[in-house]
Amino acid sequence: MRRVIVDSAIYRDGRRTDGPADLSDALDEARAAGDAFLWVGLHEPTEAEFDHVASEFALHPLAVEDALKAHQRPKLEVYDDSLFAVLKPVVYEPESDRVSSGELMLFIGASFVVTVRHGEGAPLAEVRRRLEADPEVLKHGPTAVLYAVSDAIVDHYLDVAGELQVDLEELEADVFAPTGGNPANTAERIYTAKRQVLEFRRASGPLAGPLARLTAGSVPFVNEESHPFFRDVNDHLLRANEQVEGLDRLLSDVLSAHLAQMGVRQNDDMRKISAWAAMAAVPTMVAGVYGMNFEHMPELHWVASYPVVIVVMVGIVVALYRLFKRRGWM
């Protein structure tokens, strides 16, 4: 259990105190104090490792199964003895311009908080430090932890949306650049950006429902005085979701513009090919006519026939070239 427990502490009146190493004893001490709670942080526990925690805190089997399997949508479930919340933090990797998401589960009870983290990106260590530095907030108990974690994750959504906006503006500039760049590479970049935005939407979109419940309704194990704070988090989430929707629409517009440019370039190429084929057809036709093995043909024995035919062919080709050039085909 020491391998998966990242941190464990009892908080009394908003301040961290040293408690028993055994989870059962620590939970009993927190419950006996009345104004204290136990916060246990776990990282990717196995089923055997989490069974001990589940039995000590009487966690619901369905919630335990979700916490072990991960790959859950953001949600909020109410059980008899606890509240189960799933959040999906996102991380932007500037080296690869990639968005990845992790998972964070919170079990909220009357005198305990159990957090289970899968993947990277969950700001739990920073949230714990920030709460420990602000006892006035932390003394509100497990609700303060739920608020601080959700607030940190949603605020980071806005940061990631800003990074994606910068990448999309660069991509848009490349698409509409005069040179046009490499069409195949541009299309790949657009679809890659689409995947990043989709990954972001899977994390931020479904969270609107749970936050709306925390904002409007009476949720067990959540202090009713915290509703204004969750409304603030919900406002930030709505703004992040609006930015994501805007990014997705803009990507669709950029893709449509790129495909339209590809069609225009293909039409230009076809016109150029047609123009060159037309200019090549004239001398080919003339040469083909005089290359036939007929005995009686006009001007066949005329001394000036060859230079005249060459001059005529060159003149026609030059005239066609000027005509196509004037019409923008060349």
Side-chain angles (χ1 to χ4, degrees):
M1 285 301 300
R2 292 295 97 190
R3 183 187 69 84
V4 298
I5 295 181
V6 179
D7 200 353
S8 177
I10 296 176
Y11 295 90
R12 181 178 292 111
D13 197 26
R15 300 187 181 278
R16 180 175 182 137
T17 61
D18 295 330
D22 183 77
L23 292 180
S24 179
D25 294 339
L27 181 59
D28 290 341
E29 180 176 323
R31 285 172 172 168
D35 59 347
F37 71 96
L38 173 65
W39 182 0
V40 180
L42 307 175
H43 179 239
E44 297 183 353
T46 64
E47 183 175 356
E49 291 167 337
F50 198 54
D51 280 346
H52 175 65
V53 177
S55 61
E56 291 293 343
F57 292 91
L59 304 180
H60 197 278
L62 293 177
V64 171
E65 181 181 359
D66 289 344
L68 288 173
K69 289 184 177 180
H71 303 293
Q72 303 294 318
R73 287 166 54 90
K75 61 180 181 179
L76 185 68
E77 300 287 350
V78 178
Y79 297 102
D80 293 337
D81 299 321
S82 63
L83 178 70
F84 178 60
V86 178
L87 306 174
K88 292 181 73 70
V90 295
V91 177
Y92 176 81
E93 301 172 3
E95 297 81 8
S96 58
D97 295 336
R98 179 173 175 269
V99 173
S100 59
S101 62
E103 289 194 38
L104 179 61
M105 289 80 168
L106 294 92
F107 294 88
I108 308 294
S111 301
F112 68 86
V113 177
V114 177
T115 56
V116 183
R117 177 167 61 91
H118 291 269
E120 303 300 327
L124 285 179
E126 178 61 29
V127 168
R128 191 185 286 258
R129 284 194 297 268
R130 190 170 59 194
L131 284 174
E132 290 177 354
D134 192 355
E136 288 300 317
V137 175
L138 192 56
K139 71 179 183 180
H140 290 88
T143 300
V145 177
L146 178 61
Y147 159 72
V149 170
S150 58
D151 182 58
I153 290 176
V154 171
D155 282 348
H156 195 59
Y157 285 169
L158 295 173
D159 296 336
V160 173
E163 296 287 352
L164 288 175
Q165 180 69 41
V166 173
D167 290 344
L168 184 52
E169 289 174 356
E170 294 176 356
L171 178 59
E172 185 180 21
D174 290 343
V175 168
F176 292 101
T179 56
N182 184 348
N185 183 54
T186 300
E188 181 181 357
R189 290 174 60 194
I190 293 174
Y191 279 110
T192 299
K194 272 277 193 183
R195 287 196 297 269
Q196 306 314 312
V197 172
L198 178 61
E199 183 71 18
F200 196 165
R201 292 180 66 179
R202 288 173 178 168
S204 64
L207 186 57
L211 277 180
R213 290 177 60 189
L214 291 170
T215 299
S218 177
V219 180
F221 309 105
V222 175
N223 192 330
E224 293 186 0
E225 296 178 357
S226 65
H227 291 171
F229 297 94
F230 283 110
R231 275 199 298 270
D232 180 67
V233 178
N234 191 47
D235 289 341
H236 291 176
L237 178 65
L238 292 176
R239 190 168 66 184
N241 284 334
E242 288 175 357
Q243 286 183 294
V244 174
E245 292 293 334
L247 290 173
D248 188 55
R249 288 194 299 269
L250 186 54
L251 271 172
S252 298
D253 294 341
V254 170
L255 179 59
S256 299
H258 174 66
L259 295 176
Q261 285 184 330
M262 291 280 290
V264 170
R265 292 192 187 111
Q266 288 176 349
N267 289 336
D268 289 340
D269 293 340
M270 288 302 298
R271 286 191 299 181
K272 291 179 181 179
I273 293 172
S274 300
W276 284 109
M279 288 188 295
V282 172
T284 301
M285 181 187 67
V286 175
V289 170
Y290 281 92
M292 294 185 293
N293 295 320
F294 295 130
E295 183 177 355
H296 303 288
M297 293 184 65
E299 296 86 23
L300 189 61
H301 300 287
W302 186 30
V303 175
S305 295
Y306 177 75
V308 170
V309 170
I310 294 298
V311 170
V312 170
M313 288 192 296
V314 172
I316 295 175
V317 170
V318 171
L320 287 174
Y321 178 81
R322 290 182 176 178
L323 176 63
F324 293 145
K325 188 75 172 178
R326 187 166 56 250
R327 293 188 176 181
W329 285 34
M330 301 292 293

